[in-house]
Amino acid sequence: MEEIIVTGGVRLEGSVKISGAKNAALPILAATILTSEESRIRNVPKLEDVGTVYRLLKGLGIRIEENGNGEITIDPSGLNNSEAPYDLVKTMRASCLVLGPLLARLGKARVSLPGGCAIGARPIDLHLKGLKSLGAEIKLEEGYINARARRLKGASICLDIPTVTGTENIMMAAVLADGETIIENAACEPEVVSLSEVLHSMGASISGAGTRLIKIRGVTELKGMNYSIIPDRIETGTFMLAAAITRGDIKIEDCIPEHIDHITARLRDAGVSIEEGEDWVRVKGSPGIRAVDIRTSPYPGFPTDMQAQMMVLMSLSDGLSVIMETIFENRFMHVAELKRMGANITVDGHSAVVRGVPSLSGAQVMATDLRASASLVLAGLAAKGDTTISRIYHIDRGYECIEKKLTRLGAKIRRIKGGELLRGS
Ligand code: UD1
């Protein structure tokens, strides 16, 4: 099993280009099911999770060609299967994003029910409730969701929680439904807006994405798309933290500063200097980090996907910070690992009290989920000595070429497999 070794203490400097957003790419790839025409998608990040969707779509009879440079061509004309098997869904919960499109296009879907996950129970009851409102008949049998519908019918759906993939699943089902669908309390994340743009370009009639109220008027068929995936705001935030934590100076290019407003605001509160351009941000770390409180919340609030990374910065602040996690009930798995590196953190229910320490020290730690693994890399960059991170496969799910990008900024980071060096620094 691969491990990453980070030798800390280097100030990171230079520029880095942000890759396409994982969470935008996944629903957009699923949306190709909605048409029989070919689509061309650009800026697709090379990630494990994207590979999982490719396997899933290929299993459905869809042809995918990688043209190089992050461009792919998808030909869904051979769609002949409606099953998302357990083996794929268990490695990536977002596989359930094919449920809405399969139902809309084929009138049936058999999708493995995702189980719990390291960060929380993560049910998909709201996806299913929404699809039932659109007229789908849904049965849970032998660990699978068996869904059927002749033609879905537009409906008014009010989500109890503004679920991101739930909103996306319902949007994709509703675009081919008969009549108007209204989604109230919809998720406003940029990835939802991006999916709406894609669906619009395919011929869907859809408005309100980015607000809590989305309106969709169903059409009978959709055409192929030609789209470039938006930059990853969580990767952007992670590199901003890398600059702040190492007191470095990094220009982060090909990003959308507006998507990270809340991260920028909190970092400025912490004393980090940030300059913004149209598609870049430049982050300069300062010697003293002020403690700030963080509360995760749906967009445009502070993203739960940046909570672990921000906790590392707060571990090195000059005071006491309270970090409240409001989205997932078990998203503090990284705390035990950060404590092994010398962080002073106490968890009480949904809050973590972080008392800043002057420095962290390298240790052997274990990644527990995708964003936790990024937080351990950040902690390693700031720590004295070597940090060895195991179960690093988590990071490959969501960060493209993380060691290469960090190495170019001056980091001492390398990947090993059973003692053998895979990529040097
Ligand atoms: C998406 C993101 C993930 C991010 C999360 C929150 C993708 C592929 N993943 O995940 O990176 O951390 O948004 O910003 O885009 N819930 C229910 N019932 C449901 C659905 C959700 O109770 O049917 C709950 C969840 O358990 C959680 C909350 O709603 O507590 C928000 O989850 P949700 O927005 O659905 O997260 P995902 O879409 O899975």
Side-chain angles (χ1 to χ4, degrees), residues 1 33 66 73 135 225:
M1 205 180 279
I33 293 173
E66 292 182 63
T73 307
M225 67 174 104

Side-chain angles (χ1 to χ4, degrees), residues 34-70:
L34 290 165
T35 173
S36 57
E37 289 186 15
E38 197 171 272
S39 290
R40 198 156 67 94
I41 311 177
R42 285 160 289 121
N43 203 29
V44 183
K46 230 180 166 44
L47 300 169
E48 283 300 318
D49 275 8
V50 168
T52 304
V53 185
Y54 289 172
R55 285 196 292 284
L56 182 50
L57 294 180
K58 284 176 184 168
L60 300 175
I62 293 174
R63 260 178 9 105
I64 301 176
E65 234 170 85
E66 292 182 63
N67 311 330
N69 277 336

Side-chain angles (χ1 to χ4, degrees), residues 23 122-127 161 163-165 304-305 327-328:
N23 288 353
R122 300 185 80 175
I124 58 159
D125 56 316
L126 301 174
H127 301 225
I161 302 172
T163 157
V164 178
T165 48
T304 172
D305 285 352
I327 309 287
F328 293 112

Side-chain angles (χ1 to χ4, degrees), residues 72-379:
I72 59 165
T73 307
I74 299 200
D75 172 8
S77 58
L79 178 70
N80 58 8
N81 182 12
S82 58
E83 176 166 331
Y86 176 67
D87 273 359
L88 293 177
V89 180
K90 80 171 184 210
T91 57
M92 191 191 65
R93 307 174 54 78
S95 304
C96 67
L97 280 167
V98 298
L99 185 56
L102 281 173
L103 252 181
R105 171 98 191 280
L106 297 178
K108 61 179 181 175
R110 180 173 150 81
V111 175
S112 175
L113 194 60
C117 141
I119 61 175
R122 300 185 80 175
I124 58 159
D125 56 316
L126 301 174
H127 301 225
L128 303 185
K129 211 169 139 188
L131 296 174
K132 275 185 193 162
S133 305
L134 294 174
E137 190 191 305
I138 293 183
K139 288 190 186 144
L140 302 182
E141 292 162 328
E142 295 157 354
Y144 275 79
I145 303 156
N146 286 319
R148 282 190 171 271
R150 267 229 180 101
R151 183 173 176 204
L152 295 168
K153 272 203 163 9
S156 248
I157 297 164
C158 182
L159 295 170
D160 297 336
I161 302 172
T163 157
V164 178
T165 48
T167 301
E168 293 165 347
N169 233 337
I170 296 167
M171 277 164 69
M172 289 190 280
V175 285
L176 287 178
D178 179 18
E180 188 178 64
T181 297
I182 293 176
I183 310 175
E184 281 179 73
N185 201 25
C188 300
E189 269 66 3
E191 295 76 20
V192 172
V193 177
S194 154
L195 175 65
S196 154
E197 282 166 10
V198 162
L199 294 172
H200 183 78
S201 76
M202 293 171 81
S205 165
I206 183 163
S207 64
T211 73
R212 289 269 171 246
L213 191 85
I214 297 177
K215 285 189 185 170
I216 298 159
R217 180 154 290 283
V219 295
T220 48
E221 58 180 10
L222 293 172
K223 52 184 196 281
M225 67 174 104
N226 185 341
Y227 190 78
S228 181
I229 303 290
I230 58 168
D232 195 308
R233 63 195 166 98
I234 304 302
E235 190 196 16
T236 307
T238 303
F239 278 102
M240 291 170 83
L241 265 292
I245 267 166
T246 63
R247 291 160 193 183
D249 181 356
I250 304 180
K251 185 171 181 199
I252 300 161
E253 297 172 339
D254 294 352
C255 63
I256 300 180
E258 189 195 322
H259 288 174
I260 45 160
D261 273 350
H262 217 95
I263 302 169
T264 303
R266 286 278 80 81
L267 284 178
R268 282 186 174 141
D269 291 345
V272 177
S273 147
I274 301 173
E275 268 178 72
E276 289 176 337
E278 205 179 307
D279 64 350
W280 57 267
V281 287
R282 182 173 174 184
V283 182
K284 287 190 210 167
S286 66
I289 304 289
R290 279 196 295 275
V292 291
D293 293 340
I294 302 288
R295 186 177 195 277
T296 64
S297 51
Y299 190 84
F302 192 90
T304 172
D305 285 352
M306 282 299 298
Q307 179 255 106
Q309 299 91 312
M310 192 68 180
M311 189 179 284
V312 182
L313 185 69
M314 288 303 103
S315 293
L316 292 165
S317 79
D318 60 8
L320 184 145
S321 145
V322 177
I323 299 184
M324 194 192 261
E325 172 58 56
T326 73
I327 309 287
F328 293 112
E329 66 273 21
N330 193 26
R331 207 170 199 180
F332 284 134
M333 303 275 281
H334 42 284
V335 168
E337 304 303 306
L338 293 176
K339 283 168 86 165
R340 301 194 67 252
M341 299 178 71
N344 183 346
I345 307 168
T346 316
V347 174
D348 183 9
H350 292 296
S351 297
V353 177
V354 186
R355 289 180 176 82
V357 294
S359 63
L360 297 174
S361 57
Q364 283 208 312
V365 289
M366 193 186 283
T368 49
D369 65 73
L370 168 56
R371 305 304 170 187
S373 59
S375 78
L376 296 176
V377 170
L378 291 175

